[in-house]
Amino acid sequence: MPKISSDTLWDIAAAEVRSRENRTDEEDAEEDAHFTTQRTVFFMGSKAGGKTTILLRFLDRDEAAKPTLALEYTFGRRARGHNTPKDIAHLWELGGGISLSDLVQIPITADNISFLSVVLVLDLSKPNALWETMERLLDSARSQLEKVCASLQKTGESRSGKQRVPRVLHKDYPDRELINPFPVPLLIVGSKFDIFQDFDSEKRKVICKTLRFIAHFYGASLIFTSSKSEATMSKSRSFVNQLAFGTERPKSVSTDPSKPLAIPAGFDSLSQIGPPVTSDVDISTLHAKNPIDLWKKVFERVFPPENTKERKELKDPAKDPQYSEPLIDSIRAQKDQELEQYKREQAKSWKSLALDP
């Protein structure tokens, strides 16, 4: 058998590249149907805000949600059709609210960034903690995304995948020149709508308009859910399905503050949202650096942030009350006392020890 020269191999490779560039979308879709795709969805948000419940509903698991310890991983699979490989969704969930935001570096990596999306779950029943939770977590995720992108650009590495990072909105996207899209697809979920719907109507309006602005500013989809409402949980599953498996995105829109919001990315606009809700202050008197800062100042006038000095962010999950185990904790406390007693005895023995000059 004659040997193939290196020049011939380069010619073959060049021809293959030209062939791929000239393919139609239908031909690409036909080829893709024979390969397994893998996407990553990263869940983060308010502590005890319902992230696990949404994740279990998406996986169609009928089991009670348990508190997430630090960072947890699971996966889901879905077949696109008969006799086709199953696509895989890698699912990460960050527990602890903002206290463990440093862990975003684990699920956000150079290997998955091209097919990564983020789900931010915000507890609507605790509006005073809402803005800080949103701001801290999105800032942490964006910082890690930018770090990964910079690293890839610096090393000149290219990753396979059709999705561009940071993503670029299409030219007809509403207010495209006035917003700051998140680097990867983002879904914002307002949880515990069953509690939120009993709020004063004006407070509901402030929260709804603010979250609509935030979602539009970051190019995100926005939905409200309640674990007690099958309709809203089913809708959240559809949105997560789109991120995890590339299914068709839901297109129904609901902007009524008295009902669960459902606004896919690109279906809202600044003109529809309107200005921030203010009744006791002139917006022009607020010294804001940019639009998002203005909305923050107005929101925090209605819902002052929690006192961070009084609120203890527990970095050590072993000291977090939600993970308490009475029997184990009592034994741990006893061992801690024994350790402290041992340290005191050792300190005394060293002090009384006479050393030769």
Side-chain angles (χ1 to χ4, degrees):
M1 181 177 178
K3 294 184 179 180
I4 301 176
S5 69
S6 59
D7 289 339
T8 303
L9 290 174
W10 278 113
D11 291 340
I12 294 173
E16 176 64 19
V17 170
R18 287 193 295 270
S19 173
R20 292 188 179 188
E21 289 176 344
N22 293 329
R23 283 178 185 166
T24 63
D25 291 341
E26 289 77 11
E27 290 172 331
D28 278 340
E30 184 178 351
E31 181 177 344
D32 289 345
H34 300 289
F35 293 93
T36 296
T37 62
Q38 299 190 42
R39 293 180 173 87
T40 299
V41 184
F42 177 34
F43 289 77
M44 60 183 187
S46 304
K47 184 177 179 179
K51 300 181 291 296
T52 305
T53 300
I54 294 171
L55 188 54
L56 291 175
R57 183 67 178 84
F58 163 68
L59 294 171
D60 202 20
R61 293 182 186 171
D62 186 17
E63 57 186 79
K66 299 178 181 178
T68 301
L69 181 61
L71 184 68
E72 296 187 1
Y73 168 83
T74 187
F75 68 93
R77 296 191 298 174
R78 182 179 187 273
R80 275 172 282 178
H82 185 62
N83 289 332
T84 59
K86 288 187 176 182
D87 293 334
I88 300 173
H90 302 283
L91 309 168
W92 292 88
E93 181 186 355
L94 179 67
I98 61 177
S99 64
L100 300 174
S101 59
D102 291 346
L103 296 180
V104 299
Q105 61 186 307
I106 297 175
I108 301 177
T109 67
D111 293 318
N112 65 23
I113 193 173
S114 291
F115 291 99
L116 172 73
S117 55
V118 173
V119 177
L120 175 67
V121 181
L122 299 173
D123 188 344
L124 296 175
S125 70
K126 299 178 180 178
N128 297 82
L130 190 150
W131 190 283
E132 183 186 18
T133 299
M134 177 275 300
E135 188 174 52
R136 289 273 297 274
L137 290 175
L138 288 185
D139 283 352
S140 294
R142 183 186 286 273
S143 176
Q144 175 64 14
L145 285 164
E146 291 175 348
K147 188 183 300 181
V148 171
C149 288
S151 175
L152 290 176
Q153 292 174 358
K154 185 176 181 180
T155 58
E157 294 183 52
S158 60
R159 301 282 169 173
S160 61
K162 298 177 182 178
Q163 181 177 314
R164 298 178 64 182
V165 180
R167 75 185 162 130
V168 178
L169 302 179
H170 61 78
K171 63 179 182 179
D172 296 326
Y173 198 95
D175 310 307
R176 184 171 179 266
E177 302 300 325
L178 302 174
I179 61 179
N180 182 23
F182 201 66
V184 298
L186 173 65
L187 169 63
I188 298 177
V189 181
S191 63
K192 302 187 182 181
F193 178 79
D194 53 304
I195 300 175
F196 169 78
Q197 66 182 349
D198 293 330
F199 283 13
D200 174 77
S201 61
E202 286 302 310
K203 290 186 176 181
R204 286 203 312 269
K205 187 176 180 180
V206 171
I207 295 172
C208 287
K209 290 193 70 171
T210 300
L211 287 180
R212 283 180 64 185
F213 173 79
I214 290 170
H216 183 59
F217 187 77
Y218 289 126
S221 296
L222 173 66
I223 56 172
F224 282 4
T225 67
S226 167
S227 60
K228 299 180 180 179
S229 167
E230 177 58 29
T232 62
M233 293 303 292
S234 177
K235 184 160 292 187
S236 71
R237 185 184 185 190
S238 297
F239 274 89
V240 176
N241 250 318
Q242 191 270 328
L243 298 177
F245 297 118
T247 58
E248 186 176 358
R249 182 180 62 180
K251 295 181 180 178
S252 61
V253 178
S254 174
T255 59
D256 186 346
S258 64
K259 299 177 181 179
L261 297 185
I263 310 172
F267 281 68
D268 215 342
S269 66
L270 296 177
S271 60
Q272 291 177 304
I273 298 169
V277 180
T278 58
S279 58
D280 61 340
V281 64
D282 182 358
I283 291 182
S284 62
T285 63
L286 297 176
H287 301 288
K289 297 176 289 186
N290 49 51
I292 197 98
D293 190 42
L294 174 63
W295 280 83
K296 177 181 180 179
K297 289 180 180 296
V298 172
F299 184 82
E300 291 186 343
R301 287 183 69 90
V302 182
F303 301 105
E306 296 176 339
N307 191 326
T308 55
K309 292 182 179 180
E310 294 180 358
R311 187 187 69 243
K312 295 181 179 178
E313 293 179 8
L314 297 172
K315 292 286 185 180
D316 183 0
K319 299 178 181 178
D320 194 322
Q322 73 168 319
Y323 305 121
S324 63
E325 294 283 352
L327 180 59
I328 296 175
D329 292 343
S330 63
I331 297 174
R332 169 66 184 270
Q334 179 182 342
K335 293 299 181 182
D336 285 344
Q337 290 177 358
E338 292 174 1
L339 177 60
E340 289 302 318
Q341 179 64 27
Y342 175 77
K343 288 179 178 178
R344 287 193 293 269
E345 291 174 354
Q346 291 299 310
K348 291 179 181 178
S349 63
W350 277 103
K351 288 180 181 179
S352 61
L353 184 62
L355 299 175
D356 294 331

